[in-house]
Amino acid sequence: AQRVIAANPRDARAQNLVGAACAKLGRVECARSAFTASLAANPRNLSTYINFGVFSLDTGDPQSAVRYFSEA
């Protein structure tokens, strides 16, 4: 995914994958940045909203989680 992002930073799917990987590794800023970039590239990417919602719950931000889940 990192190579795809390097070649095309607006690849929403790759950004979402990086966000999920960073979240799993506890790299909060990396995950937040990647999920945000994914949604900027494709605001209709449902899996990013779900992943960002789970990430928000895991990082203690239930209000954001509700917002992301409601978009999905």
Side-chain angles (χ1 to χ4, degrees):
Q2 292 284 15
R3 281 186 269 188
V4 173
I5 291 171
N8 183 7
R10 296 198 42 85
D11 187 316
R13 189 169 156 200
Q15 290 284 10
N16 185 35
L17 289 173
V18 168
C22 288
K24 186 154 185 88
L25 295 172
R27 298 178 55 203
V28 173
E29 288 308 314
C30 171
R32 184 174 288 117
S33 176
F35 289 139
T36 300
S38 178
L39 291 177
N42 181 1
R44 295 185 176 161
N45 189 338
L46 299 181
S47 64
T48 301
Y49 283 107
I50 293 167
N51 286 341
F52 213 166
V54 170
F55 167 78
S56 295
L57 281 177
D58 289 346
T59 57
D61 187 0
Q63 290 178 322
S64 290
V66 168
R67 188 175 75 238
Y68 294 123
F69 288 141
S70 68
E71 289 291 329

